Amino acid sequence: MKRFKTVFLFLLCLCSTPEFTAGAMTPTAYRLSVDGTAAAGTIYEEKGVYMVPLRVVSEGLGYTVTWDGEKRVATADMSIAALSAVPGSTTYGRKGKLKVINLTQDFTYGAAAQIIDGRMYVPAEFFRDLFNNVTITDGVLTIAPQRAYLDGDAAVR
C-alpha cells in the first residue's frame, strides 16, 4: 500500500507539470497563416489568449529556433533580437542585438508557454514583440512581418 501511494504521488506530481496540464488549452477552429502562406498547426486558446506553435511560425518568418534542454528554454532568433520562452512561465525575454538601440526587455502574457505533443506553443503576441503584425480576419490568424515602404517604392504603386 505504501508503494502504491508513492507511485500515485509521483504520477500526480508528473501530471501537474506544464507539459501535462495542457488540458486547459482548447483547440480553436482558426487557421494559421504566416507571412501570407497557410501554415500547419493547431491554434489553441487558453484564458482568452491564442497559442501558436513556436517552430512553425518562427521558421515561416525566417527565424532560427533553438532548444536548450538543460535550461529548458526555446528561443526564436532573428537578425536584431531573440525572444525566449520557458514552458510553464508567463514571462518571455527578448534580448536585443543592436548596439544603437536597446531592444532587451521582458514581456508577460496572459498564458504560459506549453509543450503539447512535443511542440512548444506560445501566445501569438510573442511574435508581435518581434516586430510582426498579428491579426484575426475571417477565421484566419495571420502573423506577418511589419513592412514599411519609402515614397517612390515600386511596391507602393
Side-chain angles (χ1 to χ4, degrees), residues 117-156:
D117 296 329
R119 288 184 175 201
M120 172 80 81
Y121 283 81
V122 296
E125 298 167 274
F126 178 95
F127 293 98
R128 188 172 289 139
D129 292 318
L130 284 173
F131 314 107
N132 294 285
N133 292 316
V134 178
T135 59
I136 298 176
T137 307
D138 298 327
V140 179
L141 189 149
T142 301
I143 300 174
Q146 295 175 358
R147 291 187 169 88
Y149 300 99
L150 300 175
D151 256 356
D153 188 341
V156 176

PDB file of all heavy atoms in Angstrom, residues 117-156:
ATOM      1  N   ASP A 117       2.301  17.562 -27.282  1.00  0.00           N
ATOM      2  CA  ASP A 117       2.745  16.582 -28.281  1.00  0.00           C
ATOM      3  C   ASP A 117       4.127  16.930 -28.839  1.00  0.00           C
ATOM      4  O   ASP A 117       4.368  16.839 -30.046  1.00  0.00           O
ATOM      5  CB  ASP A 117       1.728  16.468 -29.425  1.00  0.00           C
ATOM      6  CG  ASP A 117       0.387  15.931 -28.943  1.00  0.00           C
ATOM      7  OD1 ASP A 117       0.375  15.143 -27.981  1.00  0.00           O
ATOM      8  OD2 ASP A 117      -0.647  16.314 -29.523  1.00  0.00           O
ATOM      9  N   GLY A 118       5.027  17.362 -27.971  1.00  0.00           N
ATOM     10  CA  GLY A 118       6.396  17.646 -28.373  1.00  0.00           C
ATOM     11  C   GLY A 118       6.605  18.989 -29.053  1.00  0.00           C
ATOM     12  O   GLY A 118       7.700  19.285 -29.515  1.00  0.00           O
ATOM     13  N   ARG A 119       5.563  19.819 -29.132  1.00  0.00           N
ATOM     14  CA  ARG A 119       5.672  21.140 -29.757  1.00  0.00           C
ATOM     15  C   ARG A 119       5.467  22.227 -28.709  1.00  0.00           C
ATOM     16  O   ARG A 119       4.558  22.148 -27.893  1.00  0.00           O
ATOM     17  CB  ARG A 119       4.601  21.335 -30.834  1.00  0.00           C
ATOM     18  CG  ARG A 119       4.836  20.541 -32.067  1.00  0.00           C
ATOM     19  CD  ARG A 119       3.779  20.870 -33.088  1.00  0.00           C
ATOM     20  NE  ARG A 119       4.086  20.190 -34.337  1.00  0.00           N
ATOM     21  CZ  ARG A 119       3.614  20.551 -35.498  1.00  0.00           C
ATOM     22  NH1 ARG A 119       2.817  21.586 -35.594  1.00  0.00           N
ATOM     23  NH2 ARG A 119       3.932  19.890 -36.575  1.00  0.00           N
ATOM     24  N   MET A 120       6.302  23.256 -28.791  1.00  0.00           N
ATOM     25  CA  MET A 120       6.166  24.397 -27.897  1.00  0.00           C
ATOM     26  C   MET A 120       5.127  25.358 -28.464  1.00  0.00           C
ATOM     27  O   MET A 120       5.179  25.714 -29.649  1.00  0.00           O
ATOM     28  CB  MET A 120       7.506  25.115 -27.754  1.00  0.00           C
ATOM     29  CG  MET A 120       7.437  26.436 -27.002  1.00  0.00           C
ATOM     30  SD  MET A 120       7.391  26.246 -25.222  1.00  0.00           S
ATOM     31  CE  MET A 120       9.126  26.013 -24.920  1.00  0.00           C
ATOM     32  N   TYR A 121       4.172  25.747 -27.629  1.00  0.00           N
ATOM     33  CA  TYR A 121       3.160  26.728 -28.003  1.00  0.00           C
ATOM     34  C   TYR A 121       3.365  27.986 -27.177  1.00  0.00           C
ATOM     35  O   TYR A 121       3.600  27.909 -25.976  1.00  0.00           O
ATOM     36  CB  TYR A 121       1.747  26.169 -27.775  1.00  0.00           C
ATOM     37  CG  TYR A 121       1.338  25.208 -28.856  1.00  0.00           C
ATOM     38  CD1 TYR A 121       1.763  23.879 -28.838  1.00  0.00           C
ATOM     39  CD2 TYR A 121       0.547  25.636 -29.918  1.00  0.00           C
ATOM     40  CE1 TYR A 121       1.414  23.009 -29.853  1.00  0.00           C
ATOM     41  CE2 TYR A 121       0.191  24.761 -30.933  1.00  0.00           C
ATOM     42  CZ  TYR A 121       0.631  23.443 -30.889  1.00  0.00           C
ATOM     43  OH  TYR A 121       0.283  22.584 -31.896  1.00  0.00           O
ATOM     44  N   VAL A 122       3.285  29.132 -27.851  1.00  0.00           N
ATOM     45  CA  VAL A 122       3.454  30.431 -27.202  1.00  0.00           C
ATOM     46  C   VAL A 122       2.280  31.327 -27.604  1.00  0.00           C
ATOM     47  O   VAL A 122       1.641  31.094 -28.633  1.00  0.00           O
ATOM     48  CB  VAL A 122       4.790  31.093 -27.603  1.00  0.00           C
ATOM     49  CG1 VAL A 122       5.979  30.276 -27.124  1.00  0.00           C
ATOM     50  CG2 VAL A 122       4.869  31.338 -29.095  1.00  0.00           C
ATOM     51  N   PRO A 123       2.011  32.370 -26.815  1.00  0.00           N
ATOM     52  CA  PRO A 123       0.955  33.309 -27.217  1.00  0.00           C
ATOM     53  C   PRO A 123       1.296  33.949 -28.569  1.00  0.00           C
ATOM     54  O   PRO A 123       2.464  34.239 -28.849  1.00  0.00           O
ATOM     55  CB  PRO A 123       0.969  34.358 -26.105  1.00  0.00           C
ATOM     56  CG  PRO A 123       1.554  33.651 -24.920  1.00  0.00           C
ATOM     57  CD  PRO A 123       2.570  32.697 -25.501  1.00  0.00           C
ATOM     58  N   ALA A 124       0.292  34.187 -29.386  1.00  0.00           N
ATOM     59  CA  ALA A 124       0.522  34.843 -30.678  1.00  0.00           C
ATOM     60  C   ALA A 124       1.189  36.201 -30.478  1.00  0.00           C
ATOM     61  O   ALA A 124       1.997  36.632 -31.304  1.00  0.00           O
ATOM     62  CB  ALA A 124      -0.797  34.993 -31.437  1.00  0.00           C
ATOM     63  N   GLU A 125       0.902  36.849 -29.350  1.00  0.00           N
ATOM     64  CA  GLU A 125       1.519  38.145 -29.019  1.00  0.00           C
ATOM     65  C   GLU A 125       3.043  38.070 -28.991  1.00  0.00           C
ATOM     66  O   GLU A 125       3.716  39.085 -29.171  1.00  0.00           O
ATOM     67  CB  GLU A 125       1.063  38.622 -27.640  1.00  0.00           C
ATOM     68  CG  GLU A 125      -0.410  38.870 -27.485  1.00  0.00           C
ATOM     69  CD  GLU A 125      -0.766  39.024 -26.022  1.00  0.00           C
ATOM     70  OE1 GLU A 125      -1.006  37.994 -25.369  1.00  0.00           O
ATOM     71  OE2 GLU A 125      -0.778  40.169 -25.542  1.00  0.00           O
ATOM     72  N   PHE A 126       3.568  36.906 -28.712  1.00  0.00           N
ATOM     73  CA  PHE A 126       5.015  36.667 -28.685  1.00  0.00           C
ATOM     74  C   PHE A 126       5.650  37.242 -29.950  1.00  0.00           C
ATOM     75  O   PHE A 126       6.692  37.890 -29.906  1.00  0.00           O
ATOM     76  CB  PHE A 126       5.226  35.149 -28.589  1.00  0.00           C
ATOM     77  CG  PHE A 126       6.652  34.659 -28.586  1.00  0.00           C
ATOM     78  CD1 PHE A 126       7.306  34.411 -27.388  1.00  0.00           C
ATOM     79  CD2 PHE A 126       7.316  34.377 -29.769  1.00  0.00           C
ATOM     80  CE1 PHE A 126       8.602  33.903 -27.373  1.00  0.00           C
ATOM     81  CE2 PHE A 126       8.615  33.876 -29.765  1.00  0.00           C
ATOM     82  CZ  PHE A 126       9.255  33.646 -28.553  1.00  0.00           C
ATOM     83  N   PHE A 127       4.992  37.019 -31.091  1.00  0.00           N
ATOM     84  CA  PHE A 127       5.548  37.451 -32.372  1.00  0.00           C
ATOM     85  C   PHE A 127       5.356  38.940 -32.608  1.00  0.00           C
ATOM     86  O   PHE A 127       6.100  39.551 -33.365  1.00  0.00           O
ATOM     87  CB  PHE A 127       4.986  36.599 -33.508  1.00  0.00           C
ATOM     88  CG  PHE A 127       5.460  35.187 -33.403  1.00  0.00           C
ATOM     89  CD1 PHE A 127       4.679  34.203 -32.827  1.00  0.00           C
ATOM     90  CD2 PHE A 127       6.733  34.852 -33.835  1.00  0.00           C
ATOM     91  CE1 PHE A 127       5.144  32.908 -32.692  1.00  0.00           C
ATOM     92  CE2 PHE A 127       7.213  33.561 -33.704  1.00  0.00           C
ATOM     93  CZ  PHE A 127       6.419  32.585 -33.132  1.00  0.00           C
ATOM     94  N   ARG A 128       4.377  39.536 -31.952  1.00  0.00           N
ATOM     95  CA  ARG A 128       4.207  40.989 -32.046  1.00  0.00           C
ATOM     96  C   ARG A 128       5.436  41.682 -31.458  1.00  0.00           C
ATOM     97  O   ARG A 128       5.870  42.716 -31.943  1.00  0.00           O
ATOM     98  CB  ARG A 128       2.939  41.406 -31.296  1.00  0.00           C
ATOM     99  CG  ARG A 128       2.575  42.866 -31.511  1.00  0.00           C
ATOM    100  CD  ARG A 128       1.224  43.215 -30.917  1.00  0.00           C
ATOM    101  NE  ARG A 128       0.173  42.602 -31.714  1.00  0.00           N
ATOM    102  CZ  ARG A 128      -0.908  42.033 -31.202  1.00  0.00           C
ATOM    103  NH1 ARG A 128      -1.109  42.001 -29.914  1.00  0.00           N
ATOM    104  NH2 ARG A 128      -1.816  41.501 -31.992  1.00  0.00           N
ATOM    105  N   ASP A 129       6.008  41.079 -30.428  1.00  0.00           N
ATOM    106  CA  ASP A 129       7.175  41.667 -29.781  1.00  0.00           C
ATOM    107  C   ASP A 129       8.478  41.359 -30.518  1.00  0.00           C
ATOM    108  O   ASP A 129       9.553  41.745 -30.082  1.00  0.00           O
ATOM    109  CB  ASP A 129       7.231  41.245 -28.315  1.00  0.00           C
ATOM    110  CG  ASP A 129       6.083  41.888 -27.534  1.00  0.00           C
ATOM    111  OD1 ASP A 129       5.813  43.075 -27.770  1.00  0.00           O
ATOM    112  OD2 ASP A 129       5.449  41.195 -26.730  1.00  0.00           O
ATOM    113  N   LEU A 130       8.348  40.655 -31.649  1.00  0.00           N
ATOM    114  CA  LEU A 130       9.469  40.509 -32.590  1.00  0.00           C
ATOM    115  C   LEU A 130       9.141  41.286 -33.872  1.00  0.00           C
ATOM    116  O   LEU A 130       9.580  40.940 -34.955  1.00  0.00           O
ATOM    117  CB  LEU A 130       9.736  39.028 -32.899  1.00  0.00           C
ATOM    118  CG  LEU A 130      10.452  38.248 -31.805  1.00  0.00           C
ATOM    119  CD1 LEU A 130      10.523  36.763 -32.139  1.00  0.00           C
ATOM    120  CD2 LEU A 130      11.847  38.797 -31.554  1.00  0.00           C
ATOM    121  N   PHE A 131       8.295  42.319 -33.705  1.00  0.00           N
ATOM    122  CA  PHE A 131       8.001  43.280 -34.766  1.00  0.00           C
ATOM    123  C   PHE A 131       7.198  42.690 -35.923  1.00  0.00           C
ATOM    124  O   PHE A 131       7.489  42.937 -37.085  1.00  0.00           O
ATOM    125  CB  PHE A 131       9.297  43.951 -35.251  1.00  0.00           C
ATOM    126  CG  PHE A 131      10.147  44.389 -34.099  1.00  0.00           C
ATOM    127  CD1 PHE A 131      11.301  43.701 -33.778  1.00  0.00           C
ATOM    128  CD2 PHE A 131       9.753  45.447 -33.300  1.00  0.00           C
ATOM    129  CE1 PHE A 131      12.070  44.082 -32.675  1.00  0.00           C
ATOM    130  CE2 PHE A 131      10.511  45.832 -32.200  1.00  0.00           C
ATOM    131  CZ  PHE A 131      11.679  45.150 -31.889  1.00  0.00           C
ATOM    132  N   ASN A 132       6.175  41.920 -35.580  1.00  0.00           N
ATOM    133  CA  ASN A 132       5.258  41.353 -36.568  1.00  0.00           C
ATOM    134  C   ASN A 132       3.846  41.830 -36.271  1.00  0.00           C
ATOM    135  O   ASN A 132       3.524  42.190 -35.143  1.00  0.00           O
ATOM    136  CB  ASN A 132       5.282  39.820 -36.503  1.00  0.00           C
ATOM    137  CG  ASN A 132       6.622  39.269 -36.913  1.00  0.00           C
ATOM    138  OD1 ASN A 132       6.961  39.251 -38.077  1.00  0.00           O
ATOM    139  ND2 ASN A 132       7.409  38.842 -35.940  1.00  0.00           N
ATOM    140  N   ASN A 133       3.010  41.825 -37.296  1.00  0.00           N
ATOM    141  CA  ASN A 133       1.586  42.100 -37.106  1.00  0.00           C
ATOM    142  C   ASN A 133       0.886  40.782 -36.809  1.00  0.00           C
ATOM    143  O   ASN A 133       1.194  39.762 -37.437  1.00  0.00           O
ATOM    144  CB  ASN A 133       0.985  42.736 -38.363  1.00  0.00           C
ATOM    145  CG  ASN A 133       1.519  44.128 -38.591  1.00  0.00           C
ATOM    146  OD1 ASN A 133       1.632  44.926 -37.664  1.00  0.00           O
ATOM    147  ND2 ASN A 133       1.861  44.438 -39.833  1.00  0.00           N
ATOM    148  N   VAL A 134      -0.043  40.809 -35.875  1.00  0.00           N
ATOM    149  CA  VAL A 134      -0.847  39.631 -35.539  1.00  0.00           C
ATOM    150  C   VAL A 134      -2.306  40.055 -35.661  1.00  0.00           C
ATOM    151  O   VAL A 134      -2.759  40.959 -34.959  1.00  0.00           O
ATOM    152  CB  VAL A 134      -0.549  39.133 -34.107  1.00  0.00           C
ATOM    153  CG1 VAL A 134      -1.420  37.935 -33.765  1.00  0.00           C
ATOM    154  CG2 VAL A 134       0.934  38.785 -33.957  1.00  0.00           C
ATOM    155  N   THR A 135      -3.031  39.406 -36.588  1.00  0.00           N
ATOM    156  CA  THR A 135      -4.431  39.757 -36.820  1.00  0.00           C
ATOM    157  C   THR A 135      -5.281  38.498 -36.960  1.00  0.00           C
ATOM    158  O   THR A 135      -4.764  37.431 -37.301  1.00  0.00           O
ATOM    159  CB  THR A 135      -4.593  40.596 -38.107  1.00  0.00           C
ATOM    160  OG1 THR A 135      -4.087  39.851 -39.219  1.00  0.00           O
ATOM    161  CG2 THR A 135      -3.847  41.923 -38.006  1.00  0.00           C
ATOM    162  N   ILE A 136      -6.579  38.673 -36.720  1.00  0.00           N
ATOM    163  CA  ILE A 136      -7.549  37.599 -36.967  1.00  0.00           C
ATOM    164  C   ILE A 136      -8.626  38.174 -37.867  1.00  0.00           C
ATOM    165  O   ILE A 136      -9.272  39.156 -37.525  1.00  0.00           O
ATOM    166  CB  ILE A 136      -8.175  37.068 -35.663  1.00  0.00           C
ATOM    167  CG1 ILE A 136      -7.101  36.468 -34.767  1.00  0.00           C
ATOM    168  CG2 ILE A 136      -9.258  36.047 -35.986  1.00  0.00           C
ATOM    169  CD1 ILE A 136      -7.620  35.992 -33.413  1.00  0.00           C
ATOM    170  N   THR A 137      -8.776  37.567 -39.047  1.00  0.00           N
ATOM    171  CA  THR A 137      -9.777  38.004 -40.013  1.00  0.00           C
ATOM    172  C   THR A 137     -10.354  36.777 -40.707  1.00  0.00           C
ATOM    173  O   THR A 137      -9.600  35.927 -41.183  1.00  0.00           O
ATOM    174  CB  THR A 137      -9.144  38.931 -41.087  1.00  0.00           C
ATOM    175  OG1 THR A 137      -8.445  39.986 -40.433  1.00  0.00           O
ATOM    176  CG2 THR A 137     -10.195  39.513 -42.002  1.00  0.00           C
ATOM    177  N   ASP A 138     -11.670  36.690 -40.751  1.00  0.00           N
ATOM    178  CA  ASP A 138     -12.357  35.617 -41.476  1.00  0.00           C
ATOM    179  C   ASP A 138     -11.860  34.225 -41.097  1.00  0.00           C
ATOM    180  O   ASP A 138     -11.613  33.387 -41.960  1.00  0.00           O
ATOM    181  CB  ASP A 138     -12.228  35.816 -42.991  1.00  0.00           C
ATOM    182  CG  ASP A 138     -12.881  37.116 -43.462  1.00  0.00           C
ATOM    183  OD1 ASP A 138     -13.897  37.515 -42.859  1.00  0.00           O
ATOM    184  OD2 ASP A 138     -12.360  37.720 -44.417  1.00  0.00           O
ATOM    185  N   GLY A 139     -11.680  33.975 -39.809  1.00  0.00           N
ATOM    186  CA  GLY A 139     -11.287  32.651 -39.345  1.00  0.00           C
ATOM    187  C   GLY A 139      -9.816  32.311 -39.516  1.00  0.00           C
ATOM    188  O   GLY A 139      -9.424  31.164 -39.363  1.00  0.00           O
ATOM    189  N   VAL A 140      -8.994  33.303 -39.869  1.00  0.00           N
ATOM    190  CA  VAL A 140      -7.562  33.063 -40.071  1.00  0.00           C
ATOM    191  C   VAL A 140      -6.760  33.957 -39.125  1.00  0.00           C
ATOM    192  O   VAL A 140      -6.938  35.176 -39.116  1.00  0.00           O
ATOM    193  CB  VAL A 140      -7.143  33.349 -41.530  1.00  0.00           C
ATOM    194  CG1 VAL A 140      -5.641  33.126 -41.711  1.00  0.00           C
ATOM    195  CG2 VAL A 140      -7.946  32.493 -42.498  1.00  0.00           C
ATOM    196  N   LEU A 141      -5.904  33.340 -38.341  1.00  0.00           N
ATOM    197  CA  LEU A 141      -4.970  34.088 -37.510  1.00  0.00           C
ATOM    198  C   LEU A 141      -3.711  34.259 -38.342  1.00  0.00           C
ATOM    199  O   LEU A 141      -3.091  33.281 -38.752  1.00  0.00           O
ATOM    200  CB  LEU A 141      -4.661  33.345 -36.213  1.00  0.00           C
ATOM    201  CG  LEU A 141      -3.858  34.145 -35.170  1.00  0.00           C
ATOM    202  CD1 LEU A 141      -4.240  33.692 -33.764  1.00  0.00           C
ATOM    203  CD2 LEU A 141      -2.377  34.031 -35.355  1.00  0.00           C
ATOM    204  N   THR A 142      -3.368  35.518 -38.632  1.00  0.00           N
ATOM    205  CA  THR A 142      -2.241  35.828 -39.505  1.00  0.00           C
ATOM    206  C   THR A 142      -1.129  36.485 -38.715  1.00  0.00           C
ATOM    207  O   THR A 142      -1.362  37.425 -37.958  1.00  0.00           O
ATOM    208  CB  THR A 142      -2.685  36.771 -40.646  1.00  0.00           C
ATOM    209  OG1 THR A 142      -3.729  36.131 -41.386  1.00  0.00           O
ATOM    210  CG2 THR A 142      -1.526  37.099 -41.569  1.00  0.00           C
ATOM    211  N   ILE A 143       0.081  35.991 -38.919  1.00  0.00           N
ATOM    212  CA  ILE A 143       1.278  36.591 -38.333  1.00  0.00           C
ATOM    213  C   ILE A 143       2.201  36.916 -39.502  1.00  0.00           C
ATOM    214  O   ILE A 143       2.554  36.039 -40.290  1.00  0.00           O
ATOM    215  CB  ILE A 143       1.961  35.632 -37.343  1.00  0.00           C
ATOM    216  CG1 ILE A 143       0.990  35.294 -36.211  1.00  0.00           C
ATOM    217  CG2 ILE A 143       3.250  36.253 -36.797  1.00  0.00           C
ATOM    218  CD1 ILE A 143       1.473  34.241 -35.247  1.00  0.00           C
ATOM    219  N   ALA A 144       2.532  38.203 -39.645  1.00  0.00           N
ATOM    220  CA  ALA A 144       3.351  38.652 -40.783  1.00  0.00           C
ATOM    221  C   ALA A 144       4.252  39.794 -40.348  1.00  0.00           C
ATOM    222  O   ALA A 144       3.887  40.571 -39.473  1.00  0.00           O
ATOM    223  CB  ALA A 144       2.453  39.094 -41.931  1.00  0.00           C
ATOM    224  N   PRO A 145       5.410  39.905 -40.972  1.00  0.00           N
ATOM    225  CA  PRO A 145       6.329  40.997 -40.625  1.00  0.00           C
ATOM    226  C   PRO A 145       5.699  42.363 -40.870  1.00  0.00           C
ATOM    227  O   PRO A 145       4.918  42.531 -41.808  1.00  0.00           O
ATOM    228  CB  PRO A 145       7.523  40.793 -41.560  1.00  0.00           C
ATOM    229  CG  PRO A 145       7.416  39.398 -42.046  1.00  0.00           C
ATOM    230  CD  PRO A 145       5.963  39.050 -42.015  1.00  0.00           C
ATOM    231  N   GLN A 146       6.043  43.322 -40.020  1.00  0.00           N
ATOM    232  CA  GLN A 146       5.648  44.703 -40.280  1.00  0.00           C
ATOM    233  C   GLN A 146       6.487  45.188 -41.453  1.00  0.00           C
ATOM    234  O   GLN A 146       7.684  44.941 -41.511  1.00  0.00           O
ATOM    235  CB  GLN A 146       5.911  45.570 -39.045  1.00  0.00           C
ATOM    236  CG  GLN A 146       5.071  45.201 -37.866  1.00  0.00           C
ATOM    237  CD  GLN A 146       5.434  46.001 -36.624  1.00  0.00           C
ATOM    238  OE1 GLN A 146       6.340  46.819 -36.629  1.00  0.00           O
ATOM    239  NE2 GLN A 146       4.713  45.753 -35.547  1.00  0.00           N
ATOM    240  N   ARG A 147       5.828  45.858 -42.376  1.00  0.00           N
ATOM    241  CA  ARG A 147       6.539  46.337 -43.562  1.00  0.00           C
ATOM    242  C   ARG A 147       6.332  47.832 -43.706  1.00  0.00           C
ATOM    243  O   ARG A 147       5.252  48.348 -43.444  1.00  0.00           O
ATOM    244  CB  ARG A 147       6.039  45.606 -44.800  1.00  0.00           C
ATOM    245  CG  ARG A 147       6.440  44.141 -44.811  1.00  0.00           C
ATOM    246  CD  ARG A 147       6.080  43.491 -46.138  1.00  0.00           C
ATOM    247  NE  ARG A 147       6.669  42.187 -46.278  1.00  0.00           N
ATOM    248  CZ  ARG A 147       6.112  41.056 -45.860  1.00  0.00           C
ATOM    249  NH1 ARG A 147       4.947  41.072 -45.256  1.00  0.00           N
ATOM    250  NH2 ARG A 147       6.725  39.905 -46.039  1.00  0.00           N
ATOM    251  N   ALA A 148       7.362  48.506 -44.156  1.00  0.00           N
ATOM    252  CA  ALA A 148       7.285  49.942 -44.433  1.00  0.00           C
ATOM    253  C   ALA A 148       7.904  50.182 -45.799  1.00  0.00           C
ATOM    254  O   ALA A 148       8.869  49.518 -46.187  1.00  0.00           O
ATOM    255  CB  ALA A 148       8.032  50.717 -43.364  1.00  0.00           C
ATOM    256  N   TYR A 149       7.337  51.122 -46.514  1.00  0.00           N
ATOM    257  CA  TYR A 149       7.839  51.442 -47.852  1.00  0.00           C
ATOM    258  C   TYR A 149       8.154  52.923 -47.920  1.00  0.00           C
ATOM    259  O   TYR A 149       7.493  53.746 -47.296  1.00  0.00           O
ATOM    260  CB  TYR A 149       6.806  51.078 -48.918  1.00  0.00           C
ATOM    261  CG  TYR A 149       6.445  49.619 -48.925  1.00  0.00           C
ATOM    262  CD1 TYR A 149       5.291  49.167 -48.316  1.00  0.00           C
ATOM    263  CD2 TYR A 149       7.288  48.683 -49.523  1.00  0.00           C
ATOM    264  CE1 TYR A 149       4.978  47.812 -48.300  1.00  0.00           C
ATOM    265  CE2 TYR A 149       6.971  47.342 -49.516  1.00  0.00           C
ATOM    266  CZ  TYR A 149       5.812  46.915 -48.910  1.00  0.00           C
ATOM    267  OH  TYR A 149       5.510  45.585 -48.904  1.00  0.00           O
ATOM    268  N   LEU A 150       9.153  53.267 -48.705  1.00  0.00           N
ATOM    269  CA  LEU A 150       9.516  54.666 -48.934  1.00  0.00           C
ATOM    270  C   LEU A 150       8.730  55.210 -50.106  1.00  0.00           C
ATOM    271  O   LEU A 150       8.325  54.456 -51.003  1.00  0.00           O
ATOM    272  CB  LEU A 150      11.016  54.763 -49.220  1.00  0.00           C
ATOM    273  CG  LEU A 150      11.940  54.254 -48.103  1.00  0.00           C
ATOM    274  CD1 LEU A 150      13.387  54.291 -48.573  1.00  0.00           C
ATOM    275  CD2 LEU A 150      11.763  55.099 -46.850  1.00  0.00           C
ATOM    276  N   ASP A 151       8.499  56.524 -50.101  1.00  0.00           N
ATOM    277  CA  ASP A 151       7.847  57.161 -51.246  1.00  0.00           C
ATOM    278  C   ASP A 151       8.606  56.813 -52.515  1.00  0.00           C
ATOM    279  O   ASP A 151       9.841  56.811 -52.547  1.00  0.00           O
ATOM    280  CB  ASP A 151       7.867  58.684 -51.069  1.00  0.00           C
ATOM    281  CG  ASP A 151       6.519  59.214 -50.644  1.00  0.00           C
ATOM    282  OD1 ASP A 151       5.568  58.420 -50.574  1.00  0.00           O
ATOM    283  OD2 ASP A 151       6.425  60.428 -50.392  1.00  0.00           O
ATOM    284  N   GLY A 152       7.888  56.497 -53.556  1.00  0.00           N
ATOM    285  CA  GLY A 152       8.539  56.160 -54.823  1.00  0.00           C
ATOM    286  C   GLY A 152       8.889  54.692 -54.935  1.00  0.00           C
ATOM    287  O   GLY A 152       9.341  54.243 -55.973  1.00  0.00           O
ATOM    288  N   ASP A 153       8.686  53.923 -53.852  1.00  0.00           N
ATOM    289  CA  ASP A 153       8.979  52.494 -53.877  1.00  0.00           C
ATOM    290  C   ASP A 153       7.964  51.822 -54.798  1.00  0.00           C
ATOM    291  O   ASP A 153       6.767  52.057 -54.712  1.00  0.00           O
ATOM    292  CB  ASP A 153       8.889  51.914 -52.468  1.00  0.00           C
ATOM    293  CG  ASP A 153       9.370  50.483 -52.386  1.00  0.00           C
ATOM    294  OD1 ASP A 153       9.444  49.801 -53.421  1.00  0.00           O
ATOM    295  OD2 ASP A 153       9.682  50.044 -51.261  1.00  0.00           O
ATOM    296  N   ALA A 154       8.440  50.976 -55.687  1.00  0.00           N
ATOM    297  CA  ALA A 154       7.559  50.300 -56.643  1.00  0.00           C
ATOM    298  C   ALA A 154       6.502  49.453 -55.959  1.00  0.00           C
ATOM    299  O   ALA A 154       5.421  49.258 -56.498  1.00  0.00           O
ATOM    300  CB  ALA A 154       8.412  49.430 -57.579  1.00  0.00           C
ATOM    301  N   ALA A 155       6.773  48.967 -54.760  1.00  0.00           N
ATOM    302  CA  ALA A 155       5.828  48.107 -54.061  1.00  0.00           C
ATOM    303  C   ALA A 155       4.589  48.887 -53.632  1.00  0.00           C
ATOM    304  O   ALA A 155       3.531  48.312 -53.412  1.00  0.00           O
ATOM    305  CB  ALA A 155       6.479  47.469 -52.844  1.00  0.00           C
ATOM    306  N   VAL A 156       4.696  50.208 -53.479  1.00  0.00           N
ATOM    307  CA  VAL A 156       3.576  51.026 -53.040  1.00  0.00           C
ATOM    308  C   VAL A 156       2.604  51.280 -54.181  1.00  0.00           C
ATOM    309  O   VAL A 156       1.423  51.440 -53.984  1.00  0.00           O
ATOM    310  CB  VAL A 156       4.099  52.376 -52.449  1.00  0.00           C
ATOM    311  CG1 VAL A 156       2.951  53.276 -52.084  1.00  0.00           C
ATOM    312  CG2 VAL A 156       4.988  52.118 -51.267  1.00  0.00           C
TER     313      VAL A 156
END
